[in-house]
Amino acid sequence: MTAMPEGLESIVGRHYSTGKLIELTVAGGRIAAVNGLAEDIGSEVKGGAESGTGIGIGVGTLSDAGGGIPWLAPGLVDLQVNGSFGIDFNTLPLRMEDVSGITRLLQAGGVTSYCPTLITNSSAAIGEAAAAFAAAVRSDPAAAAGIAGIHLEGPFLSPEDGPRGAHPAEHICPPDWEAFVRWQDAAEGLIRIITISPEWPEAPSFITRCSDAGVIVSIGHTAASPAQIREAIAAGARMSTHLGNGTHLSLPRHPNYLLEQLAADELWGCMIADGFHLPPSLLKLILRMKCEQAILVSDAVSLSGMPPGHYRLHIGGEVVLTEEGRLHLAGNPGLLAGSAMQLAEQVAGLACSGLAGLDEAWNCASLHPAGLLGLPQAAGLAPGAPADIVSFRRDGARLKLLDCWKNGVKSRCSVE
C-alpha cells in the first residue's frame, strides 16, 4: 500500500456488520472515504447484515473466523454513566480533573461519547456538580469532545419504595421548572436528558417545557398509571430509563407502566444487559419491541472498571464486586448495588446470549443512542461521519478492544 498523503490516515479492517474488508480514510477528524478491498471475507461470516442475524455469533462465543484482521465499528455512546474507575460523579466536590480522567478512560474502553449522570440530590449539590462538568467542558478539549450532555436522573422521581430505587427519599420532589433552569444555567446548557416520573400532576407541563427547550425527557423510576404514561408521551417524553429496573417487585397483570412503555412506539427503550439486572426474556422483549430504538446503557457506578473485591459506597454501604462483574450488598448477596460492567462488556454479553447478533448489539450501544441525541455519529462508518472508530478482535466470550479513534485521534484501548 502506498504512503498516505500528510494529514490522512488509513485504517484497514472488517466492517462489523457486513464482514467485508474495508479501508477507512480519515482526514480532519472525519471519515473521508470508505473503500472495499479486494479480499472479500463475507463468506467467512455466518449471517451478516443481509440475513439480519449479525456476524456469526453462537451462544456463548465470539470466535473469530478471519484470523488476525481486526474488526472496525463506530465508537460507543453511553447515555448513563454515574461514574467509573473509583470516581463517583455524585460525590462532591467533583474535581474537573476527575471528569477529564474518566472521559479518557471511557474512551480507552471504546466509549467515544457519553452522558455523565447526576442522580437525586439536594438542589445545591446538583448545581455544583453540573457546574463542574461545565468547567471541564470549557477547559478540556477531550472532555468537550467526549461529553455529549448531562443526564439528570432525578430528583423528580417516584417517592414510592421500589420505583424510587436507591435515590434518597429526602430529596425527591415534584417537577420544578425554576429549579431545572437554575441547574441548566449552572451546567451552561449541558443537560440533554432528564429522567422524571410522570405520576406528578406537574409532569405534563414540565415535559412540554423541557421538550420545547431541546431537552430529552425520559420516563423512569415511576409508579405512574398507564394513562399518565400516555399523557407524558403526548407532552413530549421520548425515552424510557433502564426499562425493567427501578420498579415495584410486583405489578398488575395489565395494564401497567412497564407494558405501556414497551408498547409505545414513540419511546426509545434503554436496557442494562450486564446479565444481572434483567432476565433474557425481558431483554429479548425490549429488543423486539423497540428495534432501532433499543439502547444499551451501562448505568455504570464508581466501581465499574475496578478490580473485584469488597468496597464501601456512600449509597449502599458495604458491597462486593465479584469476578463476574456483579455488584451486590455485602450483607445480602441477593440485592444488587448498581451496575459495574462497562458498555463494551455488555455488548459482548448481549451478543453471547444469542438474543442479538454482534452488529445489532453494537448498534444498540452506538448508532441508536447517537440517533436519539441527534449526533452526527449516528451515520456510523460512512463518509462524512466523525471518525469515532473502535477496532477489536473477538475472543471467546469477550471483545478484545485494540484501538480507539475520537475525531480521528487514536488512543490505545485498555479495557477488554
Side-chain angles (χ1 to χ4, degrees), residues 71-370:
W71 296 83
L72 300 178
L76 300 173
V77 179
D78 198 339
L79 300 188
Q80 199 166 1
V81 180
N82 306 281
S84 285
F85 312 106
I87 302 298
D88 185 347
F89 289 147
N90 294 278
T91 298
L92 299 175
L94 179 61
R95 301 182 306 167
M96 195 171 61
E97 53 266 36
D98 289 335
V99 175
S100 298
I102 287 184
T103 302
R104 288 168 171 80
L105 288 168
L106 288 173
Q107 186 176 321
V111 177
T112 53
S113 299
Y114 75 104
C115 290
T117 301
L118 300 179
I119 68 167
T120 301
N121 210 330
S122 69
S123 181
I126 291 173
E128 182 180 341
F133 285 112
V137 165
R138 234 187 299 114
S139 305
D140 179 14
I147 293 176
I150 293 171
H151 181 166
L152 180 57
E153 186 184 0
F156 311 137
L157 308 178
S158 175
E160 294 190 21
D161 290 343
R164 180 171 52 82
H167 290 254
E170 64 268 27
H171 296 308
I172 296 292
C173 59
D176 182 335
W177 178 251
E178 286 70 28
F180 175 76
V181 169
R182 289 196 302 271
W183 300 329
Q184 185 70 294
D185 287 344
E188 299 178 16
L190 271 179
I191 299 174
R192 293 287 305 278
I193 302 172
I194 182 168
T195 293
I196 77 163
S197 172
E199 66 200 75
W200 299 97
E202 300 87 350
S205 61
F206 180 84
I207 292 170
T208 297
R209 296 181 84 166
C210 285
S211 181
D212 289 345
V215 176
I216 295 168
V217 176
S218 186
I219 298 170
H221 289 281
T222 185
S225 69
Q228 289 170 327
I229 296 291
R230 291 193 295 272
E231 191 175 11
I233 294 169
R238 299 180 57 202
M239 186 176 110
S240 295
T241 295
H242 50 52
L243 264 172
N245 296 117
T247 65
H248 293 99
L249 291 178
S250 298
L251 293 174
R253 180 180 58 181
H254 52 72
N256 62 61
Y257 52 74
L258 180 57
L259 293 179
E260 199 66 40
Q261 291 177 80
L262 283 168
D265 294 335
E266 300 91 339
L267 295 177
W268 299 61
C270 297
M271 54 188 168
I272 305 169
D274 61 356
F276 311 116
H277 276 76
L278 295 176
S281 57
L282 186 49
L283 287 171
K284 182 177 183 179
L285 189 58
I286 295 171
L287 286 166
R288 298 300 171 258
M289 293 293 291
K290 297 304 179 181
C291 302
E292 293 185 359
Q293 293 180 182
I295 294 175
L296 266 180
V297 295
S298 70
D299 200 13
V301 299
S302 62
L303 296 182
S304 183
M306 300 293 283
H310 287 71
Y311 295 90
R312 182 171 182 80
L313 295 175
H314 76 288
I315 295 179
E318 300 293 331
V319 299
V320 176
L321 178 60
T322 69
E323 292 278 354
E324 298 76 24
R326 187 176 189 273
L327 183 65
H328 64 78
L329 297 181
N332 189 344
L335 291 181
L336 296 175
S339 172
M341 191 175 288
Q342 291 287 303
L343 194 56
E345 297 174 276
Q346 295 200 29
V347 169
L350 183 61
C352 280
S353 72
L355 297 174
L358 181 53
D359 56 348
E360 182 183 0
W362 196 283
N363 286 343
C364 285
S366 59
L367 305 192
H368 297 181

